[in-house]
Amino acid sequence: MVPSRGVLRPLGLSEVRITGGFWAQRQETNSRATLDHGREWMDKLGWTGNFTAEAGRGSAERRGREFSDSEVYKLIEAMSWETGRQADPARDAEIAELTAMIASAQAADGYLHTAFGRPGQRARYGDLAWGHELYCAGHLLQASVARARTSGDDALLNVARRVADHVCEEFGPSGRDAVCGHPEIEPGLVELFRATGEQRYLDQAALFVARRGRRTLPRHEFGWSYFSDDIAVREAKVLRGHAVRALYLAAGVVDLAVETGDDELLETVAAQFDRTLARRTYLTGGMGSRHLDEAFSDDFVLPADRAYSETCAGIAAIMVAWRLMLATGREHYADVIERILYNVVATAIGDDGRSFFYAHTLHQRSLTAVLPGDVEQLGFGGGPRAPWFEVSCCLANTARMLASLSTYVASVDDDGLRVHQYADADIDTALADGRRVGLRMRTGYPDEGTVGIEVTAAEPGPWTLALRLPSWAAGATVTVNGEPQQATGDRVVLRRDFAVGDRIVLALPMRPRFTRPDPRIDAVRGCVAVEQGPIVLCAESAGGALDLDSLRVDAGTDPAADGGVTVRGVAEELPERPWPYADAGPVGRRTTLDVPLVPYHRWARGGPSTMRVWLPTT
């Protein structure tokens, strides 16, 4: 993403490289396993084959759900970012192969969707609520820009321009007065505008945004809010309805506001997102608390055992937070990104890179099932991580996030360089005035709180290095060449004439801490959670050895961190009764114990287990 204006300028893959540690391991797994796994399944299920000439002869050849084209596009985007991260001729050839297949399926007028418009299929745009035609087009546009920016290859970009031109003709001011049931075309059009300079793409995105909220889509059992079509964007106070839809739309609206200079619209979306964070977001950063419609619920309705918290919603929330931070410079959005990265994205993919979560419960009451490695799953909860789902948007979404992750590490503002995320990374970029700077960052984060930064390039003259101070990091310290510096607020600001070899050390306190819920969250009132640095912890009972429903935690005794985090608690025998209600609670034998906690992102990796994040107190 390359916005034309904003407080911060993002850095590209050539400017920041993650070199080791927590995220480098996951990037390597993504490169080595996840991308190939996605391609294998899409070939096996016929999703890639939908683009071939043979499939185009009739609807009987078409396989997968109506939105399966988008998964191929997201996979190509992930592959594109990965080739930008590290050159791979074989992967380049694979992208070229897929691009040729996609181009061969494009109609003469630019239309491109394998489920509509062919012999025996439904007519184009006959089902805007559920057809996902514009949704798929949006993902294609994003993939094409990623490919062009990382390779200089315009083949997919040319396909995308024809798609966008068709959309502008079909849905422009004199065309269909309508929107897609699943937002995504909006950020796609803005990003294509940024890549090509074609004004009509930005104008069309603005038109789609202006049309939202007029209830032009059909009535639905979940209401118009499900489609983000219940109220005009400028009038809404909070994100609502289907979580991914709402967040994708918010990302597109921020993009539009930035490119058109509409600061009022920008602040409107920022306020909606901030209220959503304050009232409708899980401790992990997950969004969406209703399984039935994959949607936000009312304020403070955040049940742990029914959390939906789709992986795609987490990634979409990162997209929104990143855009808002670049536009406004507000550092707290980097805290949001960190929380979601470590507690949703890192949780989603299995250690093998070939299994994943779709939804993210915060309380698994029954043992997770053992799933076969070659069967497509239809349900989205109950784990453990599955090799594939009938709706597998989350795997390709996570793959593109991991491949492009280094671009979220740092940015440049008018005064200097800002570091937002802590990881082993090398940074080599130019400041706003053109001077080259370089940093080498090394850390054991998130397991350890010490972040060491060495200046590797610096031209003469003062500039500012700003380091984010997470909201949980009270008591952090920082030194420059051994000299203590002030560390308060949301970031450390160091302005000086840096020289090559200068060393900055940031020390973040990593002691585990109890977290208590807002009392309006009825579902977890009387419970506590435990966090350590950016990591949410959980109690996990591998094999069901401990009944987690019987556990009560002593919140008056601080969590201990000696070779692993533990909390003091009791396990109470809960007798079987003929009726689950009484004038007094059960009183059974109690056993005092120290309960080991594990990072939430590690749960369900060692076999069938139960788990809970929120722990009732004694």
Side-chain angles (χ1 to χ4, degrees):
M1 190 185 72
V2 185
S4 63
R5 58 188 289 269
V7 174
L8 305 176
R9 174 180 71 83
L11 304 185
L13 293 173
S14 63
E15 297 172 283
V16 184
R17 180 175 178 80
I18 295 174
T19 58
F22 188 96
W23 290 115
Q25 294 171 11
R26 284 154 179 79
Q27 286 190 318
E28 180 58 29
T29 299
N30 188 49
S31 175
R32 172 178 43 81
T34 304
L35 296 178
D36 290 339
H37 179 74
R39 176 67 192 274
E40 289 162 7
W41 271 92
M42 291 183 198
D43 286 349
K44 172 183 174 179
L45 296 175
W47 297 1
T48 51
N50 289 332
F51 293 96
T52 64
E54 291 78 8
R57 295 195 184 109
S59 60
E61 299 289 340
R62 209 269 174 188
R63 299 174 65 187
R65 296 284 296 271
E66 61 277 2
F67 41 73
S68 66
D69 290 2
S70 71
E71 312 312 343
V72 180
Y73 300 150
K74 287 202 291 289
L75 183 66
I76 293 175
E77 182 181 347
M79 291 177 173
S80 297
W81 293 128
E82 182 59 27
T83 59
R85 192 179 74 88
Q86 55 181 6
D88 184 344
R91 192 72 75 191
D92 268 325
E94 184 176 14
I95 296 171
E97 171 213 354
L98 288 168
T99 297
M101 290 172 59
I102 292 167
S104 72
Q106 189 167 28
D109 65 352
Y111 178 83
L112 180 56
H113 197 289
T114 66
F116 297 89
R118 294 173 172 181
Q121 294 180 333
R122 289 177 289 172
R124 297 177 181 179
Y125 307 121
D127 186 5
L128 282 169
W130 299 104
H132 289 75
E133 289 159 279
L134 294 177
Y135 166 83
C136 290
H139 278 302
L140 172 62
L141 304 190
Q142 289 181 323
S144 73
V145 173
R147 177 60 174 164
R149 286 183 176 150
T150 55
S151 70
D153 182 355
D154 287 344
L156 190 60
L157 189 67
N158 291 334
V159 173
R161 293 191 69 154
R162 293 182 61 210
V163 168
D165 289 341
H166 165 80
V167 169
C168 291
E169 291 296 324
E170 192 74 20
F171 291 89
S174 59
R176 298 173 186 261
D177 185 9
V179 295
C180 182
H182 199 311
E184 166 59 16
I185 188 65
E186 297 85 355
L189 283 167
V190 177
E191 202 57 32
L192 190 63
F193 157 75
R194 289 167 171 164
T196 65
E198 184 62 56
Q199 181 67 32
R200 70 188 308 205
Y201 303 153
L202 183 64
D203 293 343
Q204 185 62 49
L207 195 55
F208 280 136
V209 169
R211 288 173 179 166
R212 286 279 165 190
R214 297 186 307 161
R215 307 189 177 192
T216 57
L217 292 167
R219 292 182 63 193
H220 186 264
E221 61 180 308
F222 300 138
W224 279 290
S225 66
Y226 179 86
F227 303 114
S228 296
D229 196 32
D230 58 324
I231 188 171
V233 169
R234 293 179 186 272
E235 296 174 8
K237 302 301 182 185
V238 69
L239 299 184
R240 67 239 168 266
H242 188 279
V244 179
R245 283 170 164 84
L247 288 159
Y248 276 176
L249 178 60
V253 175
V254 174
D255 286 341
L256 177 66
V258 167
E259 296 305 326
T260 59
D262 191 337
D263 291 338
E264 180 183 0
L265 180 59
L266 176 66
E267 290 301 329
T268 295
V269 180
Q272 293 169 6
F273 189 62
D274 289 347
R275 184 179 178 89
T276 302
L277 291 171
R279 293 169 174 259
R280 300 186 175 190
T281 301
Y282 282 99
L283 179 65
T284 56
M287 295 191 181
S289 53
R290 295 209 304 244
H291 279 247
L292 182 64
D293 50 351
E294 303 179 312
F296 292 104
S297 192
D298 295 334
D299 289 351
F300 303 110
V301 179
L302 295 164
D305 54 353
R306 292 298 297 161
Y308 195 65
S309 186
E310 183 182 338
T311 299
C312 284
I315 291 169
I318 290 175
M319 291 167 54
V320 176
W322 180 240
R323 284 161 166 78
L324 287 173
M325 190 180 72
L326 293 178
T328 67
R330 296 167 192 160
E331 198 70 52
H332 73 272
Y333 293 123
D335 277 7
V336 175
I337 292 169
E338 177 181 70
R339 180 171 295 276
I340 299 170
L341 282 174
Y342 283 107
N343 300 297
V344 176
V345 176
T347 309
I349 295 289
D351 291 338
D352 60 357
R354 294 176 174 271
S355 56
F356 63 105
F357 280 143
Y358 189 103
H360 294 267
T361 183
L362 274 67
H363 184 180
Q364 180 71 28
R365 292 180 178 273
S366 58
L367 286 174
T368 52
V370 177
L371 301 177
D374 59 350
V375 177
E376 178 183 41
Q377 297 300 309
L378 303 182
F380 301 142
R385 295 163 185 83
W388 201 254
F389 293 95
E390 180 195 23
V391 180
S392 275
C393 47
C394 296
L395 181 132
N397 227 348
T398 304
R400 66 175 181 159
M401 172 58 64
L402 289 173
S404 62
L405 188 59
S406 65
T407 63
Y408 294 83
V409 168
S411 67
V412 169
D413 61 19
D414 288 342
D415 294 324
L417 181 69
R418 286 170 61 166
V419 177
H420 308 294
Q421 304 299 332
Y422 298 117
D424 284 4
D426 292 339
I427 302 172
D428 190 335
T429 189
L431 301 178
D433 61 10
R435 285 181 294 162
R436 177 173 168 260
V437 298
L439 299 178
R440 180 184 296 116
M441 179 163 51
R442 297 294 182 265
T443 179
Y445 199 77
D447 296 324
E448 301 172 4
T450 300
V451 182
I453 299 175
E454 181 182 355
V455 178
T456 57
E459 296 183 25
W463 53 278
T464 298
L465 173 62
L467 309 177
R468 177 176 63 93
L469 286 177
S471 59
W472 47 263
T477 63
V478 65
T479 62
V480 178
N481 298 328
E483 294 294 324
Q485 309 292 317
Q486 185 175 8
T488 58
D490 62 4
R491 59 185 180 271
V492 176
V493 179
L494 306 171
R495 183 166 183 82
R496 60 193 292 144
D497 192 346
F498 287 99
V500 172
D502 282 348
R503 181 165 175 78
I504 301 95
V505 178
L506 173 66
L508 301 171
M510 302 297 282
R511 58 185 177 275
R513 62 194 185 275
F514 281 124
T515 297
R516 292 167 174 79
D518 186 294
R520 289 169 289 186
I521 306 176
D522 288 332
V524 292
R525 185 181 287 129
C527 295
V528 293
V530 180
E531 298 180 85
Q532 186 176 34
I535 303 295
V536 172
L537 302 175
C538 66
E540 183 182 27
S541 178
L546 173 65
D547 179 6
L548 296 182
D549 286 339
S550 73
L551 183 65
R552 304 290 182 268
V553 170
D554 176 6
T557 302
D558 290 338
D562 185 11
V565 178
T566 60
V567 291
R568 179 60 56 88
V570 297
E572 181 179 19
E573 286 187 1
L574 301 177
E576 293 295 329
R577 300 187 302 181
W579 181 243
Y581 310 98
D583 57 359
V587 179
R589 187 177 60 155
R590 294 187 172 193
T591 303
T592 301
L593 72 166
D594 289 327
V595 183
L597 303 181
V598 299
Y600 176 72
H601 66 75
R602 295 301 308 166
W603 94 273
R605 295 181 188 270
S609 66
T610 58
M611 178 275 300
R612 65 186 305 160
V613 168
W614 289 104
L615 308 171
T617 58
T618 53

